């Protein structure tokens, strides 16, 4: 429970930092990215703010979590897109689990509860994009 809360806090801190950046060309490679690691975030976790849109509040991030990490159930007020870069994410839904492998994509509608976990034996790195403010709300 504590780790899940820390992960949400970590994403919130990244969102605040992102709102301070401008809208300019961005090129980022995984091996040379400037990963941010919060002291209370789970070991092996990190994030890179890629872009923010000052007019909509939307943003793009790269995030990574260690193998086995569970992200606390939550929802956003805006639509979210996920592309898995490495590892495997599991999206738990009422209709069953959906696996998102490296190269896989998921569209998560606004206000829909998300239950995600890194179910691979290696860390999970994924791209996140929101079309509006990525404010996160805890859910059960």
């Amino acid at each position: 429970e504590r780790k899940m809360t820390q992960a949400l806090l970590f994403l919130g801190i990244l969102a605040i930092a992102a709102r301070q950046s401008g809208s300019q060309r961005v090129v980022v490679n995984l091996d040379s990215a400037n990963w941010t690691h919060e002291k209370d975030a789970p070991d092996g976790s990190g994030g890179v703010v890629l872009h923010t849109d000052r007019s909509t509040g939307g943003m793009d991030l790269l995030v990574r979590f260690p193998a086995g990490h569970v992200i606390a159930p939550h929802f956003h007020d805006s639509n979210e897109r996920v592309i898995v870069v490495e590892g495997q994410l599991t999206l738990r839904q009422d209709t069953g689990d959906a696996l998102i492998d490296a190269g896989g994509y998921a569209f998560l509608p606004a206000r829909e509860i998300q239950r995600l976990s890194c179910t691979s034996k290696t860390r999970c790195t994924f791209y996140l994009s929101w079309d509006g403010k990525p404010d996160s709300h805890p859910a059960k």
Side-chain angles (χ1 to χ4, degrees), residues 9-42:
L9 177 63
F10 177 69
L11 289 175
I13 290 168
L14 286 176
I16 291 167
R19 290 187 185 131
Q20 299 171 4
S21 66
S23 180
Q24 300 176 9
R25 177 183 15 207
V26 176
V27 176
V28 175
N29 290 297
L30 290 179
D31 60 347
S32 60
N34 186 18
W35 293 93
T36 301
H37 304 278
E38 295 300 320
K39 67 177 183 172
D40 291 335

Side-chain angles (χ1 to χ4, degrees), residues 7-8 10-19 21 28 30 35-36 46-52 58-65 76 80-83 85 125-130 134:
L8 283 176
F10 177 69
L11 289 175
I13 290 168
L14 286 176
I16 291 167
R19 290 187 185 131
S21 66
V28 175
L30 290 179
W35 293 93
T36 301
V48 178
V49 176
L50 301 171
H51 177 264
T52 59
M59 67 182 300
D60 301 316
L61 292 175
L62 278 175
V63 296
R64 64 173 41 151
F65 292 104
H76 300 278
E80 180 177 3
R81 290 153 189 85
V82 178
I83 298 175
V85 177
T125 302
F126 46 103
Y127 165 80
L128 298 172
S129 178
W130 293 274

Side-chain angles (χ1 to χ4, degrees), residues 88-128:
Q88 180 185 66
L89 286 176
T90 296
L91 173 61
R92 180 153 287 129
Q93 301 170 300
D94 294 338
T95 58
D97 293 352
L99 301 179
I100 311 165
D101 295 317
Y105 168 85
F107 175 81
L108 307 173
R111 293 172 288 290
E112 183 176 285
I113 295 175
Q114 302 175 16
R115 293 177 178 88
L116 293 163
S117 57
C118 178
T119 51
S120 56
K121 293 182 180 183
T122 61
R123 73 177 173 211
C124 290
T125 302
F126 46 103
Y127 165 80
L128 298 172

